[in-house]
Amino acid sequence: MSHRNPVLALGLGLLLAACSIGKPIPQATTYVVEAPPPAARLSGAGAYRSEIARMGNVRVAAAFSGNSLVYRRDDVTYQSDPYEAFIADPSAMLGNQIAAWLDRAGPFKAVVQPGNAQTTRYVLEATVTELYGDFRPGRAPAAVLAIQFALVDATAIRTTTVFERTISRRATLDKATPDALVRGYGSALSGILSELVGDLSGAGLR
């Protein structure tokens, strides 16, 4: 019997492996954050209208830099969901969205995409410090997004930051689901960028 058990175990293992062949591997549902664009240039968005700016590479805090959606479950617990994810790296995706939104809204003459080789006086740097769904019990579910912006004058002898501001938004969701969360991110991003345009216009820098 002692010689037959390993053979039997091996046979059962091969049978189970054969049964699993052909079964589809679970695939993640993927999402794109889309910030609703303004219908036209925002009122007062003219402080830098003669300038073309370039969107720098967007950095995302390590806790939220992966493709998987992140949910906050309590004061210290965050959950990464491997089956609900961004379709692309969040840094690149948000950089593209920010550049396209600001190009349409102002206050610059134009905003070129990250990685563009065009030489511009101003470069807008961004660091995403918060990017998660707040799904804590006893609270209304919300998409939380916070971005630190820095407008850099790249033509100065020493690279100079001429404007810096952190803007955050908490977009309340109808339900605590991945699709609602991603739509909330889009709404939050639009609100953040609208405030950024107003701040840049009010700064009065040329």
Side-chain angles (χ1 to χ4, degrees), residues 16 28 58 70 72 77 85 89-90 93-94 104 111 118 162 182 192 206:
L16 290 173
V58 174
V70 176
R72 186 174 185 178
T77 304
D89 179 84
M93 179 177 58
L94 291 173
R104 183 165 183 174
V111 178
Q118 182 174 351
V162 297
V182 175
I192 286 172
R206 302 286 178 180

Side-chain angles (χ1 to χ4, degrees), residues 132-155:
Y132 65 88
D134 190 347
F135 294 166
R136 286 176 287 181
R139 295 170 176 256
V144 178
L145 177 62
I147 307 177
Q148 181 180 14
F149 295 99
L151 184 65
V152 176
D153 186 344
T155 62

Side-chain angles (χ1 to χ4, degrees), residues 86-113:
F86 296 122
I87 197 169
D89 179 84
S91 297
M93 179 177 58
L94 291 173
N96 294 153
Q97 282 288 313
I98 293 171
W101 200 99
L102 291 176
D103 183 58
R104 183 165 183 174
F108 302 98
K109 180 179 179 181
V111 178
V112 298
Q113 290 284 340

Side-chain angles (χ1 to χ4, degrees), residues 4 14 16 30 37 44 47 57-58 64 71 94 101 106 111 143 174 178 180 190:
R4 293 179 183 176
L14 291 173
L16 290 173
T30 53
N57 292 324
V58 174
F64 314 112
Y71 316 132
L94 291 173
W101 200 99
V111 178
D174 292 334
S190 285

